[in-house]
Amino acid sequence: MIFRGLFMAALLLATVSPASSQETVIRIKVRLVRMLATVKTAAGQLVGSLERRNFLVFDNGVPQDIAVFERQTEQPLSVSVLVDNSGSTGIELKYELDSVNRFFRALVQEGNPDDAVALYSFNWEVRLLHTFTRSLARLDQRLKLIRSEGGTSLYDAIYLASQDLQYRQGRHVMVLVTDGGDTTSLKDFHAALEQAQLADAILYPVLVVPIRNEAGRNVGGEHALATLSAGTGGRVFRPSLGPDLDLAFAEILRELRTQYLIGYYPKEIPSNKDRYHRVTLKVDNPGLRVVTRSGYYGEFEDNYHSPGR
């Protein structure tokens, strides 16, 4: 079973065959925009008790009616973990892989029985080490194959992983473990962001930068990662190695398990040659902050599945 995020109003086409006035063929195409949202207090505490009536949705500034609402959604997770194994990762890579392994265990053992993980590595090339699975033994085996070498094709990795996520049922999440920056991609920032948004994927970059001095860091790459994550409804984590890295992964899991799923069928939106629609999601409490995708591109098919269906 598959699903993709959906965006246009319902389209109804009725055709009467001239050969038989008794036959009427009706073709219906439904479009739904889906958003996964995290709500927090000003102090950063997660809020998971809001109702449909507490949310307001705007598409290019036009108010929308919420058609789908789930609190602390039970939709299964498809999580793609992308590990930067470029030459710059060096000795830190071992600590990162150990932490990724613990993340896998927490996700598989404590989550929805339909949750699944895919593992990628990227340097000058992007490698799919294991497609979506719940086998911790196989994931552990593939993690041990990762070695540090070469350049960094970060945008290519996001682009390709988004394509693999796009047709999977449930929620789509991408966790990037990297020290920031892109040096060898064929795709650019905009192509990576568009593909991630087409896939309804939330990006969580885990930015491990041993060098704290800006002179030794790719600050531009770090800013690009922040923009990518914000555009998809995720956020950047900047842990140090060791316990802080484990805490970053634990916080990602907490957010994923306290999400809201909100969907609407767009209506009364002025025609616009720009394929990109800006989406705004608000709550009726000004003391709360909502984090969700900033918009969407292109057309999608509606195959939303509610829990138990």
Side-chain angles (χ1 to χ4, degrees):
M1 294 188 293
I2 59 174
F3 82 90
R4 302 171 69 186
L6 310 168
F7 72 91
M8 298 205 28
L11 175 62
L12 175 63
L13 297 176
T15 305
V16 179
S17 171
S20 174
S21 60
Q22 301 301 314
E23 289 188 9
T24 300
V25 179
I26 299 177
R27 298 182 178 89
I28 301 176
K29 203 169 188 179
V30 181
R31 301 296 187 186
L32 176 74
V33 178
R34 301 168 65 261
M35 293 179 290
L36 291 169
T38 301
V39 181
K40 296 183 178 182
T41 65
Q45 295 177 320
L46 291 166
V47 178
S49 58
L50 298 178
E51 303 290 344
R52 182 195 304 250
R53 56 183 169 77
N54 298 124
F55 288 89
L56 303 171
V57 181
F58 300 86
D59 189 317
N60 280 349
V62 179
Q64 304 294 318
D65 295 327
I66 296 175
V68 174
F69 180 84
E70 289 180 17
R71 185 172 62 241
Q72 299 183 10
T73 177
E74 296 178 7
Q75 292 279 310
L77 287 165
S78 291
V79 181
S80 294
V81 176
L82 285 57
V83 178
D84 180 351
N85 66 321
S86 60
S88 60
T89 58
I91 194 171
E92 293 82 17
L93 184 60
K94 178 185 183 304
Y95 300 101
E96 294 171 9
L97 296 179
D98 288 344
S99 193
V100 167
N101 207 353
R102 289 188 286 272
F103 173 69
F104 287 159
R105 293 185 181 281
L107 178 66
V108 170
Q109 294 174 352
E110 302 171 15
N112 186 311
D114 293 323
D115 292 347
V117 182
L119 176 63
Y120 299 77
S121 65
F122 63 95
N123 44 36
W124 72 87
E125 63 180 357
V126 182
R127 298 182 62 197
L128 173 59
L129 299 178
H130 205 294
T131 190
F132 290 97
T133 182
R134 291 180 55 80
S135 172
L136 294 172
R138 292 178 182 175
L139 291 168
D140 179 62
Q141 183 183 48
R142 297 303 189 275
L143 282 171
K144 292 176 180 177
L145 300 176
I146 299 177
R147 300 289 184 270
S148 175
E149 58 180 338
T152 311
S153 295
L154 172 64
Y155 299 145
D156 285 353
I158 294 171
Y159 187 91
L160 294 171
S162 295
Q163 289 185 322
D164 292 341
L165 275 169
Q166 192 164 353
Y167 299 104
R168 289 187 60 81
Q169 180 186 344
R171 293 175 287 161
H172 300 165
V173 178
M174 200 179 303
V175 178
L176 312 168
V177 185
T178 180
D179 59 2
D182 184 292
T183 60
T184 54
S185 282
L186 298 177
K187 298 295 182 180
D188 62 12
F189 169 91
H190 300 287
L193 176 58
E194 178 172 350
Q195 194 61 44
Q197 290 186 326
L198 285 171
D200 277 354
I202 302 175
L203 269 61
Y204 287 104
V206 179
L207 189 59
V208 183
V209 184
I211 301 173
R212 296 300 172 185
N213 188 333
E214 288 193 2
R217 291 162 45 190
N218 188 330
V219 178
E222 294 176 29
H223 289 326
L225 282 172
T227 304
L228 279 167
S229 62
T232 62
R235 65 185 176 107
V236 175
F237 292 82
R238 292 180 170 85
S240 57
L241 294 174
D244 282 352
L245 189 52
D246 287 340
L247 287 174
F249 284 118
E251 183 63 20
I252 292 172
L253 285 177
R254 277 194 293 272
E255 289 198 7
L256 295 176
R257 290 167 181 163
T258 319
Q259 284 182 326
Y260 298 87
L261 172 62
I262 295 170
Y264 66 94
Y265 297 97
K267 64 175 186 177
E268 300 177 1
I269 300 174
S271 60
N272 189 340
K273 293 182 179 179
D274 188 354
R275 290 175 54 232
Y276 187 74
H277 285 233
R278 296 195 176 277
V279 175
T280 303
L281 182 63
K282 299 179 179 180
V283 291
D284 54 8
N285 183 338
L288 300 179
R289 180 171 60 93
V290 182
V291 179
T292 191
R293 64 193 300 181
S294 60
Y296 59 87
Y297 288 94
E299 297 189 9
F300 306 89
E301 297 177 10
D302 183 5
N303 56 355
Y304 163 74
H305 297 267
S306 64
R309 290 177 59 181

